[in-house]
Amino acid sequence: MHSYIDLLTVGASVGGLRWPDMLVQLLFFLILLALLKKFAWGPLMNMMEKREQYVASEIEEAEKSRAEAEKASKEAADQLNQVRAEAQKMIEDAKSAGTSQQEQIIAAAKKEAERIKEAAQADIQNEKERAIQALQDKVASLSVLIASKVIEKELSEQDQEKLINEYIKEVGEER
Amino acid sequence: MNHENPIVHDIFGIPGADLNLSNVFMTFIVSLIVFVFCVWGSRKLQMKPKGLQNFMEWAVEFVRGIIKDNMDWRTGRVFLPLGLTLIFYILVSNLVGVATVGVVGHDLWWKSPTADAGLTLALSTMIIVLTHYYGIKVRGTKAYLKTFVSPVPFMLPFKIVEEFTNTLTLGLRLFGNLYAGEVLLGLLVGMATSSIFGFLGAAIPMLAWQGFSVFIGAIQSYVFVMLTMVYMSHKVNADH
């Protein structure tokens, strides 16, 4: 075991504080600190700060655009609702217009039908009266003819007239 | 087989000014590694990070988290470069000694610089001095002096002693962890090189201990930066 301790490479390094060592190390350390501050930590910290700012601005932008998008979608929904209401109104208008027109057409048709019926009835009446008139005339002349032929010899002109009138009266009453 | 440090005695003819060239060499190497790595990692920075930039930004966030845990970010942001440099420097220092120990002749050249008590104490002294500097700078001399006598005046001696104990514990904690690691690694290497059975016996423990040393190295660098920020916050925070 003793030989191992003799082998110890570090045994010598414990002895004493050598201030030149300390000074040299401090010098090296401070030079290292200055160099690294300039060439490594400075640029690194700058970059990290830049990235932080970038991320912050990106987030801000994203929030802004999200708010805008929300607003736009709300507007679109509003417009859609409005259009829908308008369409509904149009359909209802058209329906009611259709119904009233239908009623109008039906009323007009009824009126027309009534008018045609009345005209037809009037026509029929006229024709009937004319036919009766014609028949009366014809019957009168015919009966006169027949009577004159039958009773040419037996009747005076006066009796004849009386007879005819009675006869016509009878015909009129029969109707 | 006894390894010595490559010490130059009495540089510039100043008595007692002994320079350990190994420390000089290793601190230079570590600084070089950290510098090259960090500058390489933070070149061609992009908005959309990829590869090494991700790691570097993670490190920045990590140290920023340590600082934010201890103080207001507005006062703490000036310590970010310090904390980052410290954590990388100490981490690399801890790790360079884990995998390899380099010996040229009888001199030990390649080792963890943090396994030397002088260097860790130099770092901790620098940190404590900086805390005092920033304490005065941020809060003004009056408020700074007042921290020594608050909440009651008889705390003054304790407060002064505390500064020295802070320095010592901060430096020696790091040194102790790394030194113990190197001692054990040295033992295992000695055992492995002694015989074929020694090699077989030492291989598995060595593997395990190297893994553990990496873990310790990372933890200690984190603890060092954490404590730096804790001491800093004691000096610069108004609510303490």
Side-chain angles (χ1 to χ4, degrees), chain A residues 93-110:
Chain A
D93 280 358
K95 258 190 199 162
S96 65
T99 315
S100 72
Q101 213 164 12
Q102 184 191 2
E103 274 163 10
Q104 267 175 20
I105 287 169
I106 287 171
K110 268 186 187 160

Side-chain angles (χ1 to χ4, degrees), chain B residues 97-117:
Chain B
V98 170
T100 52
V101 172
V103 177
V104 178
H106 273 298
D107 290 340
L108 173 66
W109 278 95
W110 185 282
K111 64 181 184 69
S112 281
T114 41
D116 186 297

Side-chain angles (χ1 to χ4, degrees), chain B residues 158-172:
Chain B
F158 300 106
K159 292 269 182 178
I160 291 170
V161 168
E162 189 190 13
E163 298 305 321
F164 290 100
T165 55
N166 280 351
T167 313
L168 270 180
T169 53
L170 187 60
L172 291 183

Side-chain angles (χ1 to χ4, degrees), chain B residues 48-200:
Chain B
K48 271 197 276 181
K50 57 184 180 188
L52 208 51
Q53 193 190 342
N54 271 323
F55 173 76
M56 296 305 288
E57 288 189 1
W58 172 79
V60 172
E61 284 294 328
F62 181 70
V63 176
R64 193 204 296 233
I66 296 175
I67 295 173
K68 271 183 177 168
D69 282 345
N70 287 299
M71 58 190 110
D72 190 25
W73 175 241
R74 260 179 304 135
T75 51
R77 60 176 300 146
V78 291
F79 306 128
L80 187 61
L82 174 71
L84 275 166
T85 313
L86 261 182
I87 205 166
F88 272 104
Y89 180 80
I90 294 174
L91 182 66
V92 173
S93 295
N94 294 349
L95 294 186
V96 288
V98 170
T100 52
V101 172
V103 177
V104 178
H106 273 298
D107 290 340
L108 173 66
W109 278 95
W110 185 282
K111 64 181 184 69
S112 281
T114 41
D116 186 297
L119 297 193
T120 59
L121 282 175
L123 277 180
S124 65
T125 309
M126 177 192 78
I127 295 304
I128 299 298
V129 168
L130 275 178
T131 64
H132 288 270
Y133 169 73
Y134 277 106
I136 295 171
K137 192 182 173 189
V138 172
R139 301 187 57 202
T141 316
K142 205 175 158 192
Y144 162 75
L145 289 176
K146 216 174 173 184
T147 60
F148 284 96
V149 289
S150 64
V152 280
F154 77 82
M155 291 291 282
L156 179 64
F158 300 106
K159 292 269 182 178
I160 291 170
V161 168
E162 189 190 13
E163 298 305 321
F164 290 100
T165 55
N166 280 351
T167 313
L168 270 180
T169 53
L170 187 60
L172 291 183
R173 178 182 301 108
L174 182 58
F175 159 71
N177 276 285
L178 268 291
Y179 181 65
E182 298 236 325
V183 167
L184 199 52
L185 273 185
L187 273 173
L188 288 169
V189 168
M191 190 174 160
T193 50
S194 60
S195 67
I196 180 75
F197 297 109
F199 178 78
L200 292 176

Side-chain angles (χ1 to χ4, degrees), chain A residues 101-156:
Chain A
Q101 213 164 12
Q102 184 191 2
E103 274 163 10
Q104 267 175 20
I105 287 169
I106 287 171
K110 268 186 187 160
K111 217 165 136 192
E112 183 74 11
E114 198 67 35
R115 196 183 61 77
I116 288 170
K117 201 172 130 192
E118 268 168 22
Q121 268 173 355
D123 271 1
I124 289 165
Q125 194 68 32
N126 270 347
E127 287 295 322
K128 202 167 140 190
E129 271 169 17
R130 249 189 13 225
I132 287 166
Q133 194 67 46
L135 206 58
Q136 272 177 356
D137 289 353
K138 200 81 179 171
V139 167
S141 57
L142 265 179
S143 49
V144 167
L145 199 65
I146 293 163
S148 61
K149 272 202 175 158
V150 172
I151 48 174
E152 230 172 7
K153 301 148 191 178
E154 299 169 18
L155 276 180
S156 67

Side-chain angles (χ1 to χ4, degrees), chain A residues 9 14 21 25 41 49 51, chain B residues 20 23 47 57 77 179:
Chain A
T9 53
V14 197
D21 285 9
Q25 192 215 6
W41 313 138
E49 259 165 35
R51 186 180 306 124
Chain B
N20 186 343
N23 281 342
M47 268 314 221
E57 288 189 1
R77 60 176 300 146
Y179 181 65

